[in-house]
Amino acid sequence: MDILNNSLTPIRFVDSQQHSQSPNKFNANLSNCKARMESLVNDLKSNYAKWKLAHQRGTSLCYAIEAKKTRCLEKPDETESGCYPEDMIAACDKLAVVTSIFVDIVKNTFEILRQMRALIKLAGPASDVIFYRTWKLEKFVSFTKELFNRYERESIIKQQVMQNIAHCTTRSKLIAYTTAWEFPDHVDAYVDLVFLLLAEEVKTK
């Protein structure tokens, strides 16, 4: 028994609460993270509104370019050298400006994604809290990541249309480029739906 007793050493149990965040500090951190998230979500919604307006404006410009170019293609003496009427060139310049909006939105969305990822690290234990109704921070990050990928792919298509539509030599190609702009493959009705879900998620009661 003496040998057994001598081999035992006192054990000190440390209260785990000493190492955890105090309730006040946790709540303050949660409030700061939520305020920052609200700002980033508002940026996402603002960017999407700008995207839709730019898309509509670009669609009108594509139809205008298509019409002007079609009239040129219908002239036999113009089809060999191609034609670039002044009013079509002006529409192309405007389309280039519109297309730059998409590029800016892609860059801005990537920055928002970067800030959301940083927010998860900053939040610490608060990152596992449901901020609004059902979404945790990681859900907002995955939403923004998918949105960024869709924006990026669609922006590339918009740039291709802008760079090529004025140089088409056939009516079918003109229609193809206008259609590619008007009916997007990536920023489509699905994105409309997920933004409706986002709006419902962050809606205040």
Side-chain angles (χ1 to χ4, degrees):
M1 290 295 295
D2 291 339
I3 295 176
L4 180 60
N5 289 337
N6 290 337
S7 66
L8 296 177
T9 56
I11 299 176
R12 181 182 180 185
F13 293 94
V14 180
D15 186 355
S16 61
Q17 293 298 323
Q18 293 178 0
H19 296 282
S20 64
Q21 231 176 33
S22 68
N24 289 339
K25 186 176 180 181
F26 177 85
N27 290 335
N29 190 34
L30 181 61
S31 296
N32 289 336
C33 290
K34 188 172 182 179
R36 184 59 188 146
M37 179 58 68
E38 287 177 354
S39 176
L40 293 174
V41 168
N42 286 335
D43 287 344
L44 286 176
K45 292 192 288 187
S46 175
N47 280 339
Y48 187 50
K50 292 176 183 176
W51 183 285
K52 291 195 291 186
L53 286 174
H55 171 74
Q56 293 171 2
R57 178 58 176 155
T59 299
S60 298
L61 289 168
C62 284
Y63 272 109
I65 294 168
E66 179 186 326
K68 298 176 193 305
K69 189 70 176 182
T70 297
R71 286 195 292 270
C72 289
L73 295 176
E74 290 172 348
K75 299 176 183 179
D77 57 333
E78 300 274 11
T79 54
E80 291 296 326
S81 59
C83 77
Y84 301 92
E86 186 174 344
D87 56 350
M88 189 188 76
I89 294 175
C92 290
D93 290 340
K94 291 177 182 178
L95 187 62
V97 173
V98 169
T99 305
S100 70
I101 295 173
F102 301 121
V103 176
D104 289 341
I105 290 174
V106 170
K107 292 178 181 177
N108 188 265
T109 305
F110 180 78
E111 175 59 21
I112 292 172
L113 177 60
R114 186 193 66 80
Q115 292 185 39
M116 282 188 176
R117 285 170 170 164
L119 193 60
I120 288 183
K121 296 180 180 179
L122 177 65
S127 64
D128 288 328
V129 174
I130 294 175
F131 271 34
Y132 296 95
R133 294 170 182 262
T134 60
W135 291 14
K136 296 181 181 180
L137 273 178
E138 189 59 47
K139 177 64 176 179
F140 286 97
V141 172
S142 62
F143 169 88
T144 307
K145 181 180 179 181
E146 181 181 8
L147 184 63
F148 166 74
N149 289 334
R150 286 176 173 272
Y151 277 160
E152 188 176 43
R153 292 194 294 268
E154 198 64 51
S155 177
I156 291 172
I157 295 174
K158 301 291 193 192
Q159 292 175 64
Q160 290 173 342
V161 172
M162 180 270 295
Q163 293 166 358
N164 293 285
I165 190 169
H167 306 296
C168 292
T169 56
T170 65
R171 172 78 171 140
S172 61
K173 286 185 179 179
L174 279 169
I175 294 173
Y177 279 119
T178 301
T179 302
W181 183 291
E182 185 177 9
F183 301 101
D185 288 333
H186 306 291
V187 185
D188 51 10
Y190 171 79
V191 177
D192 276 333
L193 175 61
V194 294
F195 264 99
L196 288 175
L197 294 175
L198 174 67
E200 186 65 26
E201 175 66 28
V202 301
K203 183 170 65 177
T204 56
K205 297 179 180 179

